[in-house]
Amino acid sequence: MVTQLLTLPDVKTTWSTIDASIYGPYLEALQMRLLLRLWHEDALKQEFFTNPKAVLEREAHLKLPAETQVKVLEDSENLFHFVLPVKPPEEEFAYRFQQIADWWMMAHSLIWWQMRNGFDFAALDRFRQGIHVMIIGRAWKDPLFVPEMQQDAKARLSREIGATFPDNLKVVAPLDTPTLKHFVIPKRPQDETLLDQSEHVAGWFAAAHQPWWWLNCARLLTPLPEKLEDKIYA
């Protein structure tokens, strides 16, 4: 049981003399800091389940509209969530797609895999085929994809990434709406084992997706800036 308080340094607001508090890396650092605390502090985790909007605003500086509800979910040994984010307006699509397609976010997923069992570089092509952002892009553009995920998420993801998930793993695809957002707490790396019979793409995908989504979902929940050229992160 994880009950200890985790002592973490504050995230610096100034990097190389520049005010970084309005840019993505600062906000992502806050988001990851919150996740580390959720993994170690039961009281904070319980508060997050019962009052997620307050915790997100206080700990990650993410303020959501009053009408927005937040539902907190948690992955387990036999349960994997793939959140389907709400489709952005057509005029925002290219910008929102770019937000979650940055190369360093792909690198986070690759590093996450490497932290576990090493990485078979012969599987790099399959890694590219299974990247998360392409699946979300399909959900935004393919009118059949979302209902197929809702009906049988495991089968649809298996076809998408070319890998088989174990029979004992349940895969669900909660659907965001304009007024309902899902936040999934990943399993701690210390508690996680790669899925049996899926040592390559499916195991990587289930292990890497939630941290990737945890860092990216806040981007999609941030209003579009008035002048995109003024922002590195919206």
Side-chain angles (χ1 to χ4, degrees):
M1 179 178 295
V2 287
T3 58
Q4 72 272 29
L5 293 178
L6 187 65
T7 301
L8 294 171
D10 292 334
V11 178
K12 293 182 178 180
T13 57
T14 302
W15 297 346
S16 299
T17 73
I18 297 173
D19 178 12
S21 62
I22 62 173
Y23 297 126
Y26 171 76
L27 300 176
E28 288 164 5
L30 291 177
Q31 192 88 349
M32 183 51 70
R33 188 180 190 276
L34 171 58
L35 179 56
L36 289 172
R37 292 189 59 199
L38 291 173
W39 277 338
H40 289 86
E41 301 178 23
D42 288 343
L44 180 63
K45 184 176 178 181
Q46 185 57 45
E47 182 187 4
F48 189 54
F49 273 104
T50 57
N51 198 358
K53 290 176 70 174
V55 173
L56 288 169
E57 183 173 354
R58 185 184 72 232
E59 303 292 341
H61 298 184
L62 178 61
K63 184 174 177 60
L64 298 174
E67 66 273 15
T68 300
Q69 297 181 340
V70 173
K71 185 174 183 179
V72 179
L73 306 169
E74 186 172 18
D75 277 355
S76 67
E77 191 68 30
N78 298 311
L79 178 62
F80 170 60
H81 300 85
F82 187 98
V83 176
L84 295 168
V86 65
K87 182 179 178 179
E90 198 65 30
E91 62 272 17
E92 294 184 18
F93 182 82
Y95 176 70
R96 298 300 185 184
F97 196 88
Q98 185 275 333
Q99 281 185 302
I100 58 173
D102 295 319
W103 68 267
W104 60 82
M105 299 310 299
M106 298 183 188
H108 283 173
S109 295
L110 180 57
I111 292 170
W112 196 264
W113 172 259
Q114 290 174 316
M115 288 170 59
R116 283 158 175 77
N117 228 19
F119 185 69
D120 175 11
F121 284 93
L124 192 58
D125 285 339
R126 293 184 301 231
F127 164 82
R128 283 196 289 262
Q129 293 169 13
I131 200 67
H132 324 266
V133 67
M134 302 307 297
I135 300 176
I136 292 175
R138 183 180 293 276
W140 286 346
K141 283 295 189 179
D142 184 347
L144 298 179
F145 186 80
V146 171
E148 288 176 354
M149 285 285 287
Q150 294 281 282
Q151 182 177 7
D152 191 343
K154 182 191 290 189
R156 192 62 185 86
L157 283 177
S158 293
R159 294 202 305 274
E160 194 70 20
I161 68 176
T164 300
F165 293 95
D167 292 340
N168 64 338
L169 181 70
K170 182 179 181 181
V171 181
V172 296
L175 180 63
D176 277 357
T177 73
T179 57
L180 175 63
K181 309 301 176 186
H182 296 84
F183 277 76
V184 181
I185 302 176
K187 292 174 61 182
R188 296 195 313 164
Q190 302 95 312
D191 300 335
E192 187 176 82
T193 57
L194 289 178
L195 303 175
D196 293 339
Q197 301 176 351
S198 58
E199 294 85 358
H200 298 296
V201 179
W204 159 79
F205 191 83
H209 173 73
Q210 299 308 5
W212 176 86
W213 178 243
W214 181 269
L215 288 172
N216 272 277
C217 62
R219 295 182 175 212
L220 298 180
L221 297 180
T222 305
L224 191 72
E226 294 182 5
K227 297 175 66 176
L228 294 182
E229 63 270 21
D230 290 342
K231 300 285 187 180
I232 295 175
Y233 173 110

